[in-house]
Amino acid sequence: MMLAPALVGYAEPWWIQIIKSIVIFAVGLQLVPVVLIVERKLLGRFQGRYGPNRVGPYGLLQPLADIIKLLTKEQFRPRTAVGFLFALAPTLSILTAVAAFALIPFGDVQHIFGTRVGLYGVDLSIGPLYLFSFSAIAFYGIMLGGWSSGSKYSFLGAMRAAAQLISYEVSQGLALLGVIISAQTLSLTGIVHAQGGMWYFIPQAVGFLIFLTASFAETNRTPFDVTEADAELVAGYNTEYGGGRFASYYFAEYLNVLVVSGIVTTVFFGGWLMPFGIHPPGWVDPIVVLVKMAIITFLFIWVRATLPRLRYDQIMSLGWKVLLPLASANALLTAIVVVVTH
Amino acid sequence: MAEAQLPVSVWSPGEDVVEVRRAPAPGAARSFTRAFLETLRGLKTTFARVIEGPVTIQYPEEKVPVYPRFRGRHRLHRFEESGLEKCVGCSLCAAACPADCIRVVAAENTPEHRVSAGERYAAVYEINLSRCIFCGYCEVACPFDAITMGHDYELSDYDRSDLIFTKEMLLAEPLERTPLRREDE
């Protein structure tokens, strides 16, 4: 099943693309508060407590209260901050997170009111490369924010982010390489189609675990939250941020969790495909993807509740001494198997 | 160098040697496997907490029951049959109080105006609860069991002067009863 790059994806008329992007952004925007409250509730349960349960029924309006509180707060910055970059950095973070969200396929090409619409933001012939380029730019959001704050803690957080980035990103790319070799396409919808026989988390189990570990690092969550490290660095790169700008960082962080769980779903858990050969109608596809994303997000929260933060040098040695050799071996082995079996 | 050649008497720990269990040497595949398995064990531990459910007591709505001997806010008592106050205004509680927070002013009972069972009664009986250390010495000192330590512990107020409890307040039944722990709890 060799797909030429030009045949990949389906481009709709421009007006459908605009509507699609609005819908996807709106859905993403609605999902973030849900993840927020679910995370806080679940973290509570994992620690034997209730979590927020005072605002609204079961505390479900807590994210709304948080957001209103943050948006009505005063904007301020330290005297030593570089104003322009200080304001730009959270925007960059949120922009890249939303841009990466466009990549997640929520379903195949559907016929809606006689028009063919792909249930994804954009289906690129360079899917994972687009993802990695945007996650690399997302790192600038953290880096610039930390540097332009003009504060030592923020700067330390940003430096740690840089050091962390180089130790996980290579392995993350290599972990995905195994899947790309097996699917023989860089299009994410193509990768989903290639999982018709078996979802890739079984043959690519090593790649899956490496990608998941690297994803924890990419989203700056425990056990790799050295950039924030609230015990040592106050709040790391966003120490000097408050109000709406802090809300932007917060939003971007949770959107990144969603993006990563979407990518894991797409690449390793068969995207919109159902197990046991069930073929539901097309409108079920987004629901299937969202359920799978919810399960991966649960895993993220579970791990956050379990593992303590790794030391700086432990992350380095994990990234370079364990993940990188494993990912390389995995990619090499997959390549050999694919060449031998074809 | 001369110091190094001095005879060093080696101290023997004797029988009390405990072997310290150490982690396997780092860098091996073994330590990675161990880290992975320990992570899984940790995940199991945290998930068990979800199944157990929260242990939080939602305080203002739910209250922890107190033990019968809990020393909370004081109560003054009356005789059940006659309704007369037990306190005779002897001021022994005030004398026993280490925080000096009890003020008693005694007055004579008259046949027309009979307040307590004894000769005298407490015309003024005030406890400054912002000073009280809840030691219970007043309860021990009282010869008539007129003052006892109650079970109420929600004693915050907006004004210090509101924490001076008068005789009427101490005699009255508490507005809300503090839950009491059973014997076997």
Side-chain angles (χ1 to χ4, degrees):
Chain A
M1 196 187 67
M2 196 70 162
L3 293 168
L7 295 176
V8 153
Y10 172 70
E12 299 88 350
W14 60 272
W15 55 275
I16 292 187
Q17 295 204 348
I18 289 174
I19 293 172
K20 257 189 354 184
S21 55
I22 291 169
V23 167
I24 286 170
F25 182 66
V27 167
L29 204 68
Q30 302 315 311
L31 282 177
V32 168
V34 174
V35 175
L36 229 120
I37 184 70
V38 165
E39 159 146 60
R40 291 186 60 185
K41 281 281 211 189
L42 271 177
L43 274 183
R45 295 281 164 166
F46 278 121
Q47 295 163 0
R49 57 190 173 85
Y50 284 99
N53 63 353
R54 298 281 143 170
V55 191
Y58 302 104
L60 291 179
L61 297 180
Q62 185 68 44
L64 196 68
D66 287 346
I67 289 164
I68 290 170
K69 176 213 141 198
L70 282 173
L71 292 185
T72 50
K73 273 176 102 170
E74 183 192 1
Q75 293 284 350
F76 66 93
R77 61 186 170 85
R79 201 157 21 122
T80 44
V82 183
F84 167 64
L85 291 175
F86 189 75
L88 177 75
T91 328
L92 210 58
S93 260
I94 215 163
L95 179 91
T96 50
V98 172
F101 196 70
L103 203 63
I104 299 165
F106 284 96
D108 210 349
V109 178
Q110 305 290 340
H111 294 268
I112 302 173
F113 302 122
T115 354
R116 277 158 58 99
V117 179
L119 297 182
Y120 39 76
V122 58
D123 183 23
L124 293 169
S125 53
I126 52 159
L129 296 181
Y130 173 95
L131 177 76
F132 287 130
S133 59
F134 269 103
S135 73
I137 298 172
F139 151 77
Y140 277 95
I142 292 172
M143 190 74 185
L144 283 179
W147 179 76
S148 64
S149 293
S151 135
K152 283 170 193 158
Y153 288 124
S154 306
F155 187 65
L156 265 174
M159 286 298 113
R160 284 181 177 197
Q164 187 177 313
L165 179 96
I166 56 164
S167 42
Y168 74 77
E169 212 178 33
V170 187
S171 341
Q172 196 182 20
L174 279 171
L176 223 47
L177 201 60
V179 169
I180 293 163
I181 291 170
S182 310
Q184 307 196 3
T185 174
L186 278 167
S187 147
L188 286 186
T189 45
I191 289 174
V192 173
H193 280 300
Q195 292 178 74
M198 186 192 277
W199 296 354
Y200 279 142
F201 81 97
I202 300 168
Q204 289 291 326
V206 177
F208 166 63
L209 287 176
I210 293 165
F211 188 81
L212 199 68
T213 314
S215 300
F216 290 134
E218 192 199 333
T219 48
N220 291 326
R221 290 169 65 85
T222 37
F224 304 107
D225 63 339
V226 284
T227 51
E228 296 190 14
D230 27 16
E232 312 146 29
L233 296 183
V234 190
Y237 65 94
N238 59 25
T239 303
E240 306 296 342
Y241 281 90
R245 286 167 187 166
F246 174 74
S248 307
Y249 267 135
Y250 212 55
F251 182 87
E253 192 192 322
Y254 282 92
L255 199 57
N256 270 327
V257 171
L258 280 171
V259 167
V260 164
S261 46
I263 296 295
V264 170
T265 302
T266 308
V267 172
F268 292 103
F269 289 92
W272 64 81
L273 300 176
M274 293 267 271
F276 315 118
I278 306 166
H279 291 287
W283 58 268
V284 185
D285 291 354
I287 300 169
V288 174
V289 174
L290 284 175
V291 167
K292 286 179 184 175
M293 275 169 74
I295 293 167
I296 306 287
T297 310
F298 176 80
L299 186 67
F300 268 72
I301 297 167
W302 190 5
V303 166
R304 181 181 172 178
T306 304
L307 294 179
R309 183 183 312 125
L310 258 67
R311 222 189 312 128
Y312 183 78
D313 60 305
Q314 287 170 330
I315 294 178
M316 292 284 160
S317 78
L318 178 72
W320 290 109
K321 291 184 190 166
V322 178
L323 294 187
L324 187 62
L326 269 180
S328 313
N330 181 51
L332 199 68
L333 205 69
T334 314
I336 291 168
V337 166
V338 166
V339 167
V340 167
T341 50
H342 276 249
Chain B
M1 291 314 284
E3 289 164 51
Q5 285 161 3
L6 284 173
V8 181
S9 63
V10 182
W11 175 74
S12 165
E15 299 288 308
D16 302 332
V17 182
V18 179
E19 198 181 331
V20 181
R21 292 184 63 192
R22 293 186 193 282
R30 201 172 138 207
S31 82
F32 175 67
T33 318
R34 175 172 160 272
F36 185 71
L37 292 179
E38 290 294 295
T39 304
L40 291 184
R41 203 162 68 91
L43 288 173
K44 193 182 120 210
T45 306
T46 43
F47 198 74
R49 299 290 84 72
V50 178
I51 293 163
E52 264 178 20
V55 294
T56 315
I57 290 155
Q58 306 256 343
Y59 165 60
E61 289 97 34
E62 287 175 53
K63 281 171 191 162
V64 187
V66 296
Y67 286 95
R69 284 170 59 176
F70 181 82
R71 295 198 299 262
R73 198 206 77 189
H74 314 71
R75 300 269 317 270
L76 284 175
H77 297 279
R78 295 174 189 274
F79 287 108
E80 274 179 26
E81 321 85 69
S82 58
L84 291 172
E85 287 170 19
K86 285 186 178 176
C87 178
V88 296
C90 67
S91 299
L92 278 175
C93 48
C97 182
D100 204 12
C101 66
I102 304 180
R103 174 167 166 259
V104 185
V105 176
E108 294 286 334
N109 278 317
T110 53
E112 301 85 55
H113 182 70
R114 188 156 195 83
V115 180
S116 78
E119 249 175 60
R120 304 200 299 166
Y121 72 99
V124 176
Y125 194 100
E126 285 177 356
I127 299 180
N128 185 351
L129 285 177
S130 62
R131 306 205 105 217
C132 178
I133 58 167
F134 298 95
C135 61
Y137 282 10
C138 47
E139 190 185 22
V140 176
C142 186
F144 294 102
D145 287 344
I147 186 166
T148 57
M149 303 300 277
H151 297 136
D152 304 346
Y153 53 85
E154 289 166 324
L155 294 169
S156 55
D157 225 315
Y158 290 105
D159 203 318
R160 283 183 202 180
S161 61
D162 291 341
L163 282 168
I164 299 172
F165 274 57
T166 60
K167 193 171 79 170
E168 287 68 39
M169 293 156 86
L170 293 169
L171 277 166
E173 282 289 318
L175 290 177
E176 200 183 332
R177 295 188 76 89
T178 309
L180 200 62
R181 213 176 272 260
R182 288 198 320 274
E183 284 272 314
D184 51 340
E185 260 183 300

